[in-house]
Amino acid sequence: MFFDKIKERGQPNHVLIAAGLTVLAALCFAGLSAQVKFLSSDLHGFVITFWRNFWGLFFMLPWLISQGLGELSWPRIRMFTLRSALSLASMLCGFTSLSYLTLANATALSFTAPLFATIMAALVLGETVRQRRWSATLVGFVGVLIVLRPGVSGLGIGEILALAGAFLTALVIIVVKQMSRTEPSNAIVAYMVLLLTPMSLVTALPFWSWPAMEDWVFVIGMGLAGTVGHVCWTRAISMADASVVVPFDYVRLIFTIVIGILVFAERPDAYTLLGSAIIVLAGIYIARREAMLNQRAAREAVAASGDPARTAERDAR
């Protein structure tokens, strides 16, 4: 692949390419949310979720075929099923919330996932979370309160679903962290794609209705946008540190605001913009702080190993 060759050759512009891929992924995910919101006037959120997964699997088939299922050893099926079930529950909550909220509000609340993940990393994984990350997490939730204004507009079903979806996304992050210690990344992705479609069909059947003829372009478009966005995001993460890539993901909020204005005549108020900015800044700080701590841990591990070759390699950097 072109991007793999760039990374292997160590081209100095690979960070810029990673940033561009992240922005493209953000645009795809914003387009996915817009299509979900458009379809929500005719289809139940659970049915939309099934079609997104069905067409997502369709567009992922070339990758699955190229990987070959023979390379995917039979996993700890319970963990793979749990990961897929959590992803499905998160998707169901997030997609359904879009029928109640503006694109900007739904996107802003979805960005609380790193805040929840920080808390659960400390409680579930036993990670050390120091004062700075706790402070950033607290500031992020202040931004959530500004967006929600619970004492003014009340906490509706849409807000609850969006926050529940973000919380479930954080759980997925924790589960994937655990699984990545023993399972290959290809297996984690492949089994999620394969399991999500039948699982989402089960949840969709009680609310089933067929899309209208004019809606099919958006039904298929969801799968395409989600797949392209996922591929771009994965490539970006493989080419640059998360602390470099993650900040560019937040341009998704700008894309959703613009789409909301142009397509749905939604105009975010000052509270939404202020609260969103606080949530984004808190998320960026947490990502950068985690990257710094990971780099420090890696340096300490190299020094403790007493391996001259690795120490020399570290110093060369």
Side-chain angles (χ1 to χ4, degrees):
M1 295 287 291
F2 172 73
F3 296 125
D4 294 328
K5 292 179 180 178
I6 289 178
K7 185 180 179 183
E8 291 171 1
R9 294 174 184 173
Q11 295 290 344
N13 64 341
H14 71 274
V15 172
L16 292 177
I17 295 175
L21 287 172
T22 307
V23 172
L24 179 57
L27 179 59
C28 289
F29 292 137
L32 170 61
S33 296
Q35 291 177 96
V36 171
K37 185 170 182 61
F38 178 84
L39 291 169
S40 64
S41 60
D42 297 322
L43 297 173
H44 192 279
F46 286 21
V47 178
I48 295 173
T49 302
F50 164 73
W51 285 118
R52 183 265 177 268
N53 287 317
F54 176 85
W55 288 106
L57 173 60
F58 175 83
F59 288 113
M60 284 289 286
L61 280 177
W63 179 84
L64 291 173
I65 294 172
S66 68
Q67 292 298 309
L69 294 180
E71 298 178 8
L72 304 176
S73 59
W74 186 253
R76 293 176 298 162
I77 192 63
R78 286 179 296 182
M79 287 298 292
F80 278 79
T81 303
L82 173 63
R83 185 256 197 270
S84 298
L86 289 173
S87 296
L88 174 60
S90 173
M91 200 177 295
L92 292 172
C93 290
F95 282 12
T96 305
S97 72
L98 284 165
S99 63
Y100 296 94
L101 302 175
T102 64
L103 279 175
N105 278 33
T107 303
L109 294 178
S110 74
F111 285 149
T112 59
L115 309 181
F116 287 121
T118 299
I119 297 172
M120 285 185 284
L123 298 179
V124 178
L125 299 181
E127 291 185 4
T128 301
V129 179
R130 305 199 192 298
Q131 182 178 354
R132 292 185 182 181
R133 277 200 287 169
W134 281 125
S135 299
T137 302
L138 179 61
V139 169
F141 281 113
V142 170
V144 174
L145 292 176
I146 294 174
V147 172
L148 295 178
R149 285 171 291 161
V152 178
S153 57
L155 195 63
I157 184 65
E159 288 83 0
I160 293 173
L161 287 172
L163 289 173
F167 177 78
L168 289 164
T169 298
L171 280 178
V172 172
I173 293 172
I174 299 300
V175 171
V176 170
K177 278 187 176 182
Q178 287 283 73
M179 294 175 66
S180 62
R181 297 173 181 174
T182 58
E183 306 294 342
S185 58
N186 283 353
I188 295 174
V189 174
Y191 276 94
M192 181 198 71
V193 172
L194 291 172
L195 287 171
L196 272 178
T197 299
M199 292 172 70
S200 59
L201 177 60
V202 172
T203 59
L205 286 176
F207 309 96
W208 188 261
S209 62
W210 288 96
M213 185 63 66
E214 61 271 15
D215 289 342
W216 276 103
V217 63
F218 301 108
V219 170
I220 299 173
M222 287 191 300
L224 181 60
T227 300
V228 173
H230 176 76
V231 170
C232 289
W233 171 256
T234 303
R235 287 292 183 187
I237 287 293
S238 70
M239 297 176 70
D241 292 339
S243 59
V244 175
V245 171
V246 168
F248 289 97
D249 178 50
Y250 289 106
V251 301
R252 182 168 18 130
L253 182 61
I254 298 175
F255 289 140
T256 55
I257 289 174
V258 173
I259 294 173
I261 292 173
L262 296 179
V263 178
F264 300 102
E266 300 173 348
R267 296 191 176 275
D269 57 27
Y271 292 100
T272 296
L273 295 177
L274 175 61
S276 299
I278 293 173
I279 295 171
V280 167
L281 291 175
I284 292 174
Y285 181 84
I286 289 172
R288 295 187 67 84
R289 186 65 182 167
E290 287 182 350
M292 291 172 59
L293 293 174
N294 289 337
Q295 290 172 0
R296 181 186 302 172
R299 288 195 298 268
E300 291 174 353
V302 170
S305 70
D307 185 338
R310 294 181 65 189
T311 304
E313 180 184 354
R314 177 204 67 190
D315 293 340
R317 295 173 184 172

